[in-house]
Amino acid sequence: LSFFNSNCFFEDFFFKMEKIGFELTSINEDIIDVDILFNRGDCNSVYGICREISILYNRNIVDFINYDSLFSSYDIPFVSNNNFSLCSNYVYLSMSGVNNYISTPKWIINRLKLYNINSVSAVIDIVNYVMVELGQPMHCYDYSFFNKNVFIKNSDFNDSVLLLNNSILDLNDDFLIISNSDCILSLAGVLGSKIGSVSNCTNAIVLESALFDSSNVIYTSCVTNIKTDSSVFFSNDLDYNLQKMSIVYASKLIENILCGKTDYLFECS
């Protein structure tokens, strides 16, 4: 509840939340479990719940990061969006000097455990932490695979990709992908490719924060039988304002925890 200014009592809080359709369970004095209705995907995060509470108690949410003032200049874009109907907003940010050998802080690991998300590596854990905090899935690429022409486009019938779950997937032209001129980097909104993925020795990365079409993500997830945390979040219509907020929040955590340096940010919308 630290996102907003309110000294509400728990009894009143529970009553008001249940009155508007949320079912709450108090696990302990610090943790509240909230059942989210299917049609309230906007509340599928800590930030989303806090926005709802701020309306109930007529309070403003505290700005935990002033992301508009952090970047005054933009680099020349090298991402081409060939399908705006399936990707209406695409924000990417480059970072260098990232030390992915540093262990993930315990407080992030403990938070992810509450959502049954396993720790992978420090940079991936930070991205997943921001996802559950703000409700915006993100993807992380090895910069060496991203520093050339990159395209947001539909796949071709003869395309195939080796995914992070070690499965090889044959694609059709209904799947939205992120690719460079040589290979596919991810199945948009669902799962990344082995090629271009981040390892412990990766010190230059690109963060991706996008607004992918929910219907297409649901279709891709169903046809491929691949369900991920990312595809679950994207199956709801996300807030257009979350992409930039989330990617900057993640970059500040990576700077503070993994000693990374933000090089540039670009918004392709």
Side-chain angles (χ1 to χ4, degrees):
L1 304 181
S2 60
F3 275 107
F4 68 102
N5 293 319
S6 178
N7 296 316
C8 60
F9 295 101
F10 272 111
E11 288 186 7
D12 182 59
F13 168 61
F14 270 56
F15 173 76
K16 288 186 175 180
M17 290 293 285
E18 290 175 350
K19 191 174 181 180
I20 58 175
F22 295 97
E23 185 175 335
L24 282 70
T25 304
S26 180
I27 298 176
N28 58 46
E29 61 182 10
D30 297 317
I31 301 174
I32 299 172
D33 184 64
V34 183
D35 284 340
I36 308 297
L37 299 175
F38 180 78
N39 66 335
R40 292 304 309 271
D42 59 305
C43 292
N44 197 22
S45 66
V46 175
Y47 183 67
I49 290 295
C50 287
R51 286 194 302 187
E52 198 73 14
I53 298 171
S54 70
I55 295 172
L56 285 176
Y57 288 91
N58 194 27
R59 295 288 193 272
N60 294 322
I61 297 179
V62 174
D63 289 330
F64 58 96
I65 186 167
N66 185 11
Y67 59 91
D68 279 330
S69 64
L70 291 176
F71 300 93
S72 58
S73 62
Y74 296 86
D75 201 78
I76 298 174
F78 49 76
V79 173
S80 299
N81 189 351
N82 296 341
N83 196 328
F84 279 98
S85 64
L86 297 185
C87 179
S88 55
N89 193 26
Y90 191 87
V91 182
Y92 57 97
L93 180 148
S94 169
M95 302 191 73
S96 57
V98 177
N99 185 354
N100 206 26
Y101 285 104
I102 294 176
S103 299
T104 305
K106 281 289 186 182
W107 58 272
I108 289 182
I109 293 176
N110 291 338
R111 179 60 65 87
L112 294 179
K113 281 182 179 178
L114 295 174
Y115 293 85
N116 297 316
I117 299 176
N118 295 323
S119 176
V120 178
S121 68
V123 68
I124 301 301
D125 292 346
I126 289 171
V127 166
N128 285 335
Y129 170 77
V130 174
M131 177 179 68
V132 298
E133 285 287 288
L134 299 184
Q136 172 67 51
M138 287 183 287
H139 194 69
C140 187
Y141 301 96
D142 185 322
Y143 179 80
S144 63
F145 290 88
F146 214 88
N147 63 348
K148 55 187 75 175
N149 292 331
V150 174
F151 306 93
I152 307 167
K153 64 176 186 175
N154 286 70
S155 57
D156 297 321
F157 271 110
N158 59 347
D159 283 340
S160 64
V161 57
L162 174 62
L163 296 170
L164 285 171
N165 62 3
N166 293 314
S167 66
I168 298 177
L169 184 67
D170 294 322
L171 307 179
N172 63 42
D173 59 0
D174 291 325
F175 298 144
L176 188 69
I177 61 171
I178 312 299
S179 70
N180 61 27
S181 54
D182 301 321
C183 57
I184 296 173
L185 300 176
S186 71
L187 196 58
V190 179
L191 191 61
S193 165
K194 277 277 191 179
I195 298 175
S197 62
V198 172
S199 65
N200 283 346
C201 60
T202 305
N203 57 23
I205 63 173
V206 170
L207 296 178
E208 166 197 275
S209 185
L211 184 57
F212 296 122
D213 178 71
S214 59
S215 298
N216 184 261
V217 172
I218 293 171
Y219 167 81
T220 302
S221 180
C222 290
V223 170
T224 61
N225 198 28
I226 299 173
K227 186 177 182 179
T228 61
D229 294 311
S230 176
S231 68
V232 171
F233 274 88
F234 274 120
S235 64
N236 300 292
D237 292 323
L238 299 181
D239 186 342
Y240 186 89
N241 297 305
L242 281 180
Q243 289 77 60
K244 191 174 178 181
M245 178 190 297
S246 300
I247 205 169
V248 173
Y249 186 26
S251 71
K252 302 313 290 183
L253 290 174
I254 293 172
E255 286 178 0
N256 293 334
I257 298 171
L258 304 181
C259 307
K261 174 184 175 295
T262 298
D263 298 319
Y264 65 83
L265 175 145
F266 190 83
E267 188 169 12
C268 178
S269 58

